[in-house]
Amino acid sequence: MQKETANILQAAEEKLKETVEDAKHLLGLSERDAQILAERKEVLLSWADELVEDFYAQLLRYPKTAQIFERAVPVEKVKQKFKKWYEELVSGKVDERFYRRQFFVGLVHIYYGVENDIMIFMANHLKRSFLNKAFEHFEPDEAAYVFQAFSKLVDFVIALTVEGYTFTLYQGLTDVAGLKPSLVERMMKMKLQELYELFKKEFLAVEQS
């Protein structure tokens, strides 16, 4: 059991490092992005309450997402956590500890039934709200400059959360089934080939008709 736990944690470490490297090379993420926000944190922090209220008002207007809070944790408690996350982000506190928490959030989302599409759509909502605030408070060139840094960091957060979601879901299913990861991978490849053929023939048939 201890060996299995160690293997899972090691695999998580490797996946986390891989995602960070991908962000550096493909997203162009650098320490400068965090610095850009940190240099303006007094202004950005002043937006926190308004952005948080707007974010959760959007979630609570839609019955599907509103019910997440009815069956899970109280919305006010989640708001506090979200505000703290935003404050850390715009203060430039984007370090390894921050990365690890975001990876862990993927597991939290599985537990509470927060699907990836919801997370992605709401991240986009946050970015658009932030952009509107940026153009209200900064000159256009600076607003675009600040938004670009914020957007890259939020996209990085999305990637970490999705990877954490996928990783922990895969590990959980593997453990519940009592199968070795290598066997599951071979079985998955075979099943994915079947699904590929099925979707190509049936699901995409609408496009071909």
Side-chain angles (χ1 to χ4, degrees):
M1 183 64 180
Q2 289 183 341
K3 184 177 180 181
E4 290 179 5
T5 300
N7 289 339
I8 291 173
L9 292 175
Q10 179 60 35
E13 293 280 359
E14 292 173 359
K15 175 53 70 175
L16 178 60
K17 291 178 181 177
E18 179 184 341
T19 306
V20 172
E21 284 301 306
D22 289 347
K24 290 178 181 177
H25 293 282
L26 301 177
L27 189 60
L29 188 71
S30 71
E31 293 181 3
R32 180 58 187 154
D33 294 303
Q35 291 171 0
I36 290 169
L37 300 184
E39 289 166 1
R40 299 161 178 81
K41 70 177 182 179
E42 296 305 321
V43 173
L44 304 185
L45 287 171
S46 72
W47 305 348
D49 288 331
E50 184 177 344
L51 290 175
V52 170
E53 289 303 318
D54 173 72
F55 187 90
Y56 284 94
Q58 181 78 349
L59 283 170
L60 293 172
R61 276 193 290 267
Y62 182 36
K64 178 180 178 179
T65 47
Q67 70 178 358
I68 294 172
F69 302 106
E70 295 172 3
R71 66 171 185 260
V73 293
V75 66
E76 291 303 321
K77 184 175 181 179
V78 182
K79 282 183 182 180
Q80 292 173 10
K81 291 182 179 294
F82 186 79
K83 182 179 178 180
K84 182 179 179 181
W85 168 83
Y86 172 82
E87 290 173 341
E88 288 183 347
L89 188 70
V90 300
S91 297
K93 297 178 181 178
V94 184
D95 52 17
E96 185 176 351
R97 186 180 179 186
F98 182 88
Y99 302 161
R100 289 174 180 274
R101 284 203 304 271
Q102 288 306 141
F103 195 81
F104 173 72
V105 167
L107 173 58
V108 176
H109 279 185
I110 294 173
Y111 187 81
Y112 288 115
V114 180
E115 298 165 353
N116 280 332
D117 66 328
I118 292 171
M119 187 267 297
I120 292 168
F121 297 151
M122 288 308 300
N124 185 266
H125 179 83
L126 174 64
K127 289 198 295 182
R128 285 183 282 115
S129 298
F130 182 95
L131 180 61
N132 290 336
K133 297 294 291 183
F135 276 107
E136 288 176 9
H137 287 79
F138 301 116
E139 291 298 317
D141 286 349
E142 185 176 9
Y145 183 61
V146 173
F147 174 71
Q148 184 180 47
F150 182 78
S151 181
K152 284 200 286 183
L153 285 165
V154 171
D155 288 346
F156 176 49
V157 165
I158 292 171
L160 285 173
T161 307
V162 170
E163 287 300 329
Y165 187 106
T166 305
F167 178 86
T168 49
L169 180 61
Y170 174 82
Q171 291 294 333
L173 291 174
T174 301
D175 188 58
V176 168
L179 301 172
K180 292 182 179 180
S182 58
L183 176 59
V184 172
E185 185 174 350
R186 290 197 298 272
M187 293 171 65
M188 281 294 293
K189 285 184 177 179
M190 293 174 62
K191 190 61 181 179
L192 287 172
Q193 181 62 39
E194 292 179 19
L195 292 174
Y196 173 83
E197 298 298 336
L198 173 65
F199 272 64
K200 184 177 179 181
K201 180 179 178 181
E202 304 293 341
F203 190 76
L204 300 181
V206 175
E207 297 182 3
Q208 300 169 4
S209 61

